[in-house]
Amino acid sequence: MNAFLQDNAQDIAQAAQLLESGEVVAVPAETVYGLAGHALNEEAVRAIFEIKGRPLIDPLIVHVHSLQQIEELAIIDTPYFASLAQAFWPGPLTLILPKKAVVPDLVTAGKETVALRMPAHPLFQKILQTSALPLAAPSANPFGYISPTQAQHVADSLGDKLKYIIDGGASQEGLESTIVDLSKPNEINILRPGPITQEQLEKCLKTKVNHLKVFNKEQNSSGESAPGTLIKHYSPRTPLTLLSKDSSERSRISLFEKNTAYIQLFRHGEVPQQFATCDKYWLSESNDLREAAQNVFALLRKLDKQDYSNIYCEQPKAEGIGIALLDRLTRAAAQ
Ligand code: TXA
Ligand code: MG
C-alpha cells in the first residue's frame, strides 16, 4: 500500500525525516514527479537507481532551495550562471556545472560535472527547506516509460517498489526541465529541450546558445547529449506514430486501423479523413502548445491503459515549447 502525503506541516515534517534517514520518497515538481533521495547519501542514491531500474551510467539531477547549497556542490566559474539563476530559478531549468568532491560519483555517474536545479513547485520547495538536504531526483517513472505528472501515475507504475508519494496535484509544465551545460569554456549547449526555450535563454544571456539535442532517428545517446537521453524513451507499450501535416506517412495510411486512437494537438484542429471514425483525443482545448505539453504524458498513460492497438498523434511544429514536445513525442514513438 502506498502512503500519499499531503501539503500540511505534519506530512512535510515526516517526508523530511524519511529523506534524512535515507528513504526514497516521490515528490511533485512543476515539471514531472521525481523520485527523491538525499544526494550525499550513497545508499539513498543507490536505492533511487534500483527503484527506477535505471542504469548507473545515467546521472541524476540534484535539487536545492538556495544558491548557498549550489556553492557547496559545484564550482561556479561562469558569469552566465548568475544570469540564468536569477532569470529562471526557481523553475524548470537544470544547469550543468563542474562538481565539487562532496557530490558522490554515483550521482554524476562518474562525470566531473553535476546537474543542479532549484524547482518551483511550492511543496517540493517546502520539503527541500525543511530537510535542508540536496535531493537527487530523476523522473519517477520506470526507466524508459512515460514520465509521471500526477501522484497516481507514480503509484500506478512504481507503487510496489516505493511506499511514500507526496501528492502535489498535476505538474504544471508537464515536461522535464530544460538542461543547459555551462561546464564548457566557450560554449553553452542545451542538452535537453524543455519548458525554458532556446529563445528565452538567448534573450537572457545575449549570446548564442547551441541546441545539441535533435530528434533525429539516427542519433544515439553518445557524444554531447545528456547521457540518459536515449532516442527510445518516454514510451507507451502501445505503438505510437507521429504524423506531420505534409507527411508522406500520412498519405500512406489509407484506412484507419481497428482500435486506433488519434491524438490531435488542438481540440478544434483538422482531423485527417482516415481517422474520422477513430476515437479522437486532444492535448489542448484552446490552441495552446503549453497546455498540450502539460497534458501529453497524462494522455499517453491513459491511452496506454486501454486496449488500443495503435496510437497516432499529430506532430507539433519545432518552434518554442513545440521543440520540447516534439522531442518527447519522437522518443515515445521510437521503435
Ligand atoms: O524536470 C526534471 O528535470 C525532473 C524533475 C524531477 O526535476 N527530473 C528529471 O530527471 O527529468 P531525469 O533523471 O529523468 O533526467 C535527468 C537528465 C538525464 O538525461 C541525465 O542524463 C541528465 O539529466 N544529466 C544529469 N547529470 C548530468 C551531467 N552531469 N551531465 C549531463 N547530463 C546530465
Ligand atoms: Mg526521466
Side-chain angles (χ1 to χ4, degrees):
M1 264 305 271
N2 296 119
F4 287 92
L5 303 181
Q6 309 293 332
D7 189 357
N8 61 59
Q10 193 186 339
D11 285 9
I12 291 166
Q14 187 185 355
Q17 201 173 23
L18 287 162
L19 289 160
E20 269 161 50
S21 68
E23 285 268 353
V24 175
V25 175
V27 298
E30 73 280 23
T31 52
V32 302
Y33 273 68
L35 207 50
H38 182 349
L40 308 184
N41 174 336
E42 295 213 14
E43 287 309 304
V45 175
R46 203 171 287 282
I48 293 174
F49 280 98
E50 265 164 34
I51 292 170
K52 198 174 151 77
R54 178 169 179 145
L56 293 170
I57 53 164
D58 190 357
L60 305 179
I61 297 174
V62 178
H63 300 74
V64 298
H65 73 273
S66 73
L67 291 176
Q68 194 191 329
Q69 281 178 302
I70 300 273
E71 281 168 29
E72 287 161 16
L73 302 168
I75 299 160
I76 303 170
D77 58 0
T78 159
Y80 294 128
F81 172 81
S83 308
L84 291 177
Q86 197 184 14
F88 301 112
W89 278 356
L93 179 68
T94 295
L95 297 174
I96 310 273
L97 292 170
K99 84 176 190 82
K100 287 193 173 163
V102 62
V103 182
D105 287 340
L106 199 56
V107 171
T108 64
K111 289 172 80 75
E112 290 304 313
T113 54
V114 59
L116 296 155
R117 185 164 103 78
M118 197 182 286
H121 195 294
L123 191 44
F124 197 172
Q125 286 186 350
K126 285 182 204 168
I127 289 158
L128 285 162
Q129 262 153 25
T130 308
S131 69
L133 300 173
L135 296 177
S139 51
N141 48 314
F143 183 68
Y145 194 61
I146 307 163
S147 297
T149 56
Q150 297 167 19
Q152 189 57 46
H153 294 162
V154 183
D156 287 347
S157 49
L158 290 176
D160 54 339
K161 300 197 169 87
L162 177 79
K163 177 144 190 222
Y164 295 97
I165 300 171
I166 302 169
D167 188 352
S171 298
Q172 275 217 325
E173 301 286 355
L175 296 181
E176 299 82 352
S177 61
T178 305
I179 303 182
V180 175
D181 187 354
L182 292 181
S183 70
K184 299 260 159 63
N186 297 313
E187 57 185 62
I188 303 169
N189 297 313
I190 299 176
L191 302 188
R192 179 175 71 184
I196 307 290
T197 63
Q198 182 175 16
E199 300 86 82
Q200 284 176 288
L201 295 164
E202 290 185 335
K203 197 168 164 207
C204 168
L205 297 177
K206 300 185 181 60
T207 187
K208 172 94 190 107
V209 174
N210 306 310
H211 201 297
L212 292 176
K213 207 70 240 82
V214 274
F215 10 80
N216 163 346
K217 288 185 181 155
E218 268 68 60
Q219 204 195 28
N220 61 31
S221 65
S222 65
E224 292 295 340
S225 56
T229 46
L230 303 171
I231 180 69
K232 183 173 169 53
H233 207 66
Y234 316 105
S235 310
R237 283 175 278 271
T238 316
L240 171 71
T241 308
L242 279 185
L243 292 173
S244 69
K245 274 258 181 299
D246 45 17
S247 155
S248 58
E249 270 166 86
R250 183 162 146 177
S251 57
R252 270 192 271 122
I253 303 161
S254 50
L255 277 175
F256 79 87
E257 288 150 70
K258 270 219 158 78
N259 296 324
T260 295
Y262 180 74
I263 303 175
Q264 49 192 121
L265 294 173
F266 305 136
R267 179 174 188 174
H268 300 293
E270 175 217 348
V271 177
Q273 134 205 352
Q274 297 99 314
F275 298 97
T277 58
C278 297
D279 289 349
K280 287 181 273 304
Y281 300 85
W282 51 86
L283 293 173
S284 163
E285 286 284 337
S286 54
N287 291 10
D288 177 356
L289 265 192
R290 292 239 162 221
E291 189 188 10
Q294 216 171 59
N295 293 328
V296 66
F297 287 143
L299 183 59
L300 288 177
R301 278 181 175 257
K302 175 176 141 181
L303 298 184
D304 207 22
K305 274 194 190 167
Q306 302 177 30
D307 34 52
Y308 288 115
S309 38
N310 278 291
I311 305 170
Y312 285 88
C313 181
E314 180 184 350
Q315 180 171 304
K317 281 204 196 124
E319 287 169 9
I321 185 71
I323 293 179
L325 183 58
L326 178 59
D327 172 81
R328 303 309 190 276
L329 282 170
T330 303
R331 291 170 203 285
Q335 297 301 308

